[in-house]
């Protein structure tokens, strides 16, 4: 056992990714022979606060590209160090030193204490870890979903996480999740103390209040706010990407602004969200609408280079989907290619039906009241829906009390409202689990800031007192995001690095074909030759390696 504080490890890990992201941008600009502007801002934050996120985006897409030819095991170290080296070409200067210290030390320190109460998600052993193991071990194989239908999802987060296996300790998979949370909280904090942008500042305040209210209500709380997830889950990272993209577009539309750099950066965030989860596609029409409205601006210009890069990224992502599952978007049956030899007929449709039943999706031929009564039979759906509605009403009341509502830009506000309601509806008919809707819930709460974007605090209220109270609320919301038992475990074990190790499993041969199966249950954990249950599988090694289900082989 190495005696070193896990919290310190995360602080250095976060800073390391910071310099990887910075080095990549310096390298990228040198290749293009363009000046690198580190003073550029996005969502009222200097771009350098996004460096770790940029790093993960680059790492994930490098891994995706490399995986078409080979496994990615240990390659991260080489290209990460390559990019870090480029930091020497430009001196780093930052604005508001206190803010940077909060970002690089205080927020990571507190968030990392969650490590001491973390464990694997149930799906980690079922398919996530083995998905990462395949990415690490070998090039993409066609028909991989025939081994385990869940391989068809092949999350972008798995491509990122596959780079952070260190011996038999998987704590760094949790750290990659925390990177998104560091950005989320510095975004909220900065916009509470920086009032240059009225809409984003108000939206940040209401999100903070939403986070405080998450700790109260039916079932002890939980209203759809973000949380610290078990290892291999990526619902919170996706929710943060979705929310940041939405609030950027809302701010630009309402304030009638267009900035080439910010609009281009939002495009990358959108692609990141799409790669993370199918619901990210909801943002595409909203972004296109933003471009359409902004086209008359004198600053309007579409970056052809970014359009080309994102087109390549998206093409590689969909090609990966086709190779693994036979579908452009899994498990949407209408996007599958039945003529592909490795495609298992109706596999996407059956998986979709299975997920719909499990998550109690709404069907258009159902009575919506009958559906809702069935949906709330799940305790988490019942408590979270009531708590969300209550939180929304409280925040609306607070907004009216402090600011009121204005009637400007009604057309834009109506369009944003329609987008949110449509997103909520599509969530309901697809996968209406609370954790899948977090990005939509955050966006709905932030929309209250849109309703009062051009109004100041009422004159009868003391602005300084309220500003101080808002900061106090932020730290309450931030601190309570982490479970109390994590703080307790940290105090008892702060002198040790936390070890998160996978379960050891015994396997037996698959009697009907290729591979082995778990002896006791359907969780394979870490063994790429393992399939969840016995079935007729064959392996063909040729120009491309293909897994077939024998009864589906053409």
């Amino acid at each position: 056992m190495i005696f070193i504080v896990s919290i310190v490890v995360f602080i250095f890990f976060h800073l390391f990714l910071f310099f990887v992201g910075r080095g990549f941008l310096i390298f990228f600009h040198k290749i293009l022979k363009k000046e690198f502007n580190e003073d550029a801002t996005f969502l009222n934050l200097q771009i350098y606060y996004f460096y770790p996120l940029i790093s993960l985006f680059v790492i994930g897409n490098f891994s995706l590209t490399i995986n078409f030819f080979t496994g990615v095991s240990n390659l991260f170290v080489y290209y990460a160090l390559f990019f870090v080296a480029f930091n020497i070409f430009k001196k780093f200067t930052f604005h508001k030193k206190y803010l940077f210290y909060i970002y690089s030390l205080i927020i990571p320190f507190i968030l990392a204490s969650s490590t001491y109460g973390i464990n694997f998600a149930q799906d980690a052993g079922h398919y996530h870890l083995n998905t990462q193991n395949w990415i690490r071990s070998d090039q993409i194989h066609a028909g991989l979903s025939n081994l385990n239908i869940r391989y068809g999802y092949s999350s972008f987060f798995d491509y990122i996480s596959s780079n952070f296996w260190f011996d038999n300790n998987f704590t760094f998979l949790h750290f990659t999740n925390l990177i998104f949370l560091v950005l989320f909280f510095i975004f909220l904090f900065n916009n509470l103390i920086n009032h240059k942008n009225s809409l984003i500042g108000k939206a940040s305040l209401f999100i903070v209040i939403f986070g405080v209210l998450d700790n109260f209500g039916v079932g002890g709380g939980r209203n759809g706010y973000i949380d610290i997830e078990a290892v291999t889950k990526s619902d919170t990272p996706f929710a943060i990407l979705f929310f940041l993209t939405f609030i950027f577009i809302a701010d630009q539309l309402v304030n009638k602004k267009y900035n080439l750099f910010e609009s281009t950066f939002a495009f990358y965030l959108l692609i990141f969200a799409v790669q993370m989860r199918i619901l990210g596609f909801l943002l595409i029409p909203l972004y296109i609408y933003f471009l359409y409205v902004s086209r008359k601006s004198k600053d309007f210009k579409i970056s052809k280079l970014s359009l080309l890069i994102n087109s390549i990224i998206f093409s590689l992502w969909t090609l990966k989907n086709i190779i693994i599952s036979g579908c452009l978007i899994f498990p949407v049956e209408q996007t599958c290619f039945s003529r592909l030899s490795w495609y298992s007929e109706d596999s996407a449709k059956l998986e979709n039906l299975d997920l719909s039943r499990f998550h109690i999706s709404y069907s258009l031929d159902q009575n919506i009241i009958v559906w809702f009564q069935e949906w709330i039979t799940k305790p988490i759906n019942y408590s979270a829906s009531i708590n969300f509605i209550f939180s929304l009403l409280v925040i609306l009341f607070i907004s009216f009390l402090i600011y009121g509502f204005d009637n400007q830009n009604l057309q834009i506000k109506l369009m944003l409202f329609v987008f949110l309601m449509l997103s909520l509806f599509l969530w309901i008919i697809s996968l209406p689990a609370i954790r899948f809707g977090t990005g939509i819930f955050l966006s709905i709460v932030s929309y209250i800031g849109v309703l009062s974007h051009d109004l100041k605090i009422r004159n009868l209220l003391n602005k300084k007192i309220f500003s101080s109270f808002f900061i106090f609320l932020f730290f309450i919301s931030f601190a309570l995001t982490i479970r109390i038992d994590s703080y307790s475990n940290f105090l008892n074990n702060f002198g040790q690095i936390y070890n998160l190790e996978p379960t050891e499993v015994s396997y037996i041969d698959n009697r009907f074909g290729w591979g082995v199966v778990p002896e006791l249950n359907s969780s394979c954990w870490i063994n790429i030759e393992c399939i969840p249950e016995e079935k007729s599988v064959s392996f063909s090694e040729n120009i491309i390696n293909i897994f077939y289900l024998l009864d589906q082989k053409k």
Side-chain angles (χ1 to χ4, degrees), residues 197-211:
N197 190 309
S198 176
L199 188 154
I200 295 179
K202 291 183 176 69
S204 299
L205 170 62
F206 298 140
I207 293 294
V208 166
I209 297 172
F210 187 53

Side-chain angles (χ1 to χ4, degrees), residues 85-154:
F86 277 84
N87 282 275
I88 65 174
F89 291 101
K90 187 173 180 63
K91 182 181 178 181
F92 177 57
T93 55
F94 48 87
H95 306 271
K96 299 179 182 177
K97 291 183 179 180
Y98 75 93
L99 189 65
F100 188 77
Y101 292 144
I102 290 173
Y103 163 76
S104 60
L105 294 175
I106 295 176
I107 291 178
F109 186 96
I110 296 173
L111 282 175
S113 64
S114 66
T115 304
Y116 291 88
I118 206 68
N119 211 328
F120 283 111
Q122 183 178 356
D123 286 340
H126 185 49
Y127 70 98
H128 276 300
L129 288 177
N130 249 356
T131 297
Q132 296 170 29
N133 201 15
W134 272 108
I135 295 168
R136 289 172 58 82
S137 303
D138 209 343
Q139 68 187 80
I140 298 174
H141 286 7
L144 203 60
S145 62
N146 288 327
L147 302 182
N148 184 335
I149 192 65
R150 295 296 175 89
Y151 287 159
Y153 297 105
S154 191

Side-chain angles (χ1 to χ4, degrees), residues 26-27 48 81 90 106-107 125 135 137 184 209 232 244 252 264 288 349 372 387 414 421 430 439 481 486 499 525:
I26 295 172
F27 167 77
Y48 51 74
L81 291 176
K90 187 173 180 63
I106 295 176
I107 291 178
I135 295 168
S137 303
F184 177 73
I209 297 172
T232 69
L244 291 178
Q252 298 285 296
T264 301
I288 292 173
K349 180 180 179 181
F372 183 73
N387 293 336
L414 178 61
M421 293 304 99
S430 57
T481 303
S486 294
N499 279 298
W525 286 93

Side-chain angles (χ1 to χ4, degrees), residues 404-521:
F405 299 116
D406 69 66
N407 57 4
Q408 299 182 38
N409 298 305
L410 289 179
Q411 182 179 350
I412 296 296
K413 291 177 181 178
L414 178 61
M415 189 283 304
L416 291 171
F417 178 79
V418 170
F419 166 78
L420 290 171
M421 293 304 99
L422 181 61
S423 298
L424 197 63
F425 176 73
L426 292 174
W427 169 72
I428 288 171
I429 65 174
S430 57
L431 297 173
I434 298 301
R435 61 189 179 91
F436 294 147
T438 303
I440 299 173
F441 304 148
L442 291 175
S443 299
I444 291 173
V445 171
S446 70
Y447 178 73
I448 300 175
V450 174
L451 296 177
S452 57
H453 85 283
D454 204 33
L455 298 175
K456 298 180 180 179
I457 293 178
R458 294 182 188 273
N459 292 330
L460 57 103
L461 302 173
N462 188 304
K463 296 179 182 179
K464 290 185 177 179
I465 292 177
F466 267 85
S467 295
S468 300
F469 183 63
F470 295 162
I471 300 302
F472 172 74
L473 282 181
F474 167 80
F475 282 106
I476 293 295
S477 173
F478 172 44
L480 291 179
T481 303
I482 301 165
R483 295 192 302 269
I484 299 300
D485 65 326
S486 294
Y487 290 120
S488 176
N489 289 332
F490 163 64
L491 293 174
N492 292 327
N493 302 283
F494 67 90
Q496 300 178 15
I497 189 168
Y498 186 79
N499 279 298
L500 183 63
E501 300 179 353
T503 301
E504 293 186 4
V505 180
S506 297
Y507 307 96
I508 58 176
D509 290 335
N510 174 25
R511 293 173 296 173
F512 303 115
W514 182 93
V516 297
V517 294
E519 189 172 18
L520 298 178
N521 54 46

Side-chain angles (χ1 to χ4, degrees), residues 247-274:
I247 197 61
F248 165 78
I249 296 175
D251 174 59
Q252 298 285 296
L253 287 173
V254 170
N255 289 299
K256 297 180 173 62
K257 296 188 299 182
Y258 182 87
N259 176 279
L260 176 60
F261 171 79
E262 290 189 288
S263 302
T264 301
F265 193 79
F267 190 19
Y268 284 102
L269 276 188
L270 186 154
I271 294 297
F272 201 168
V274 169

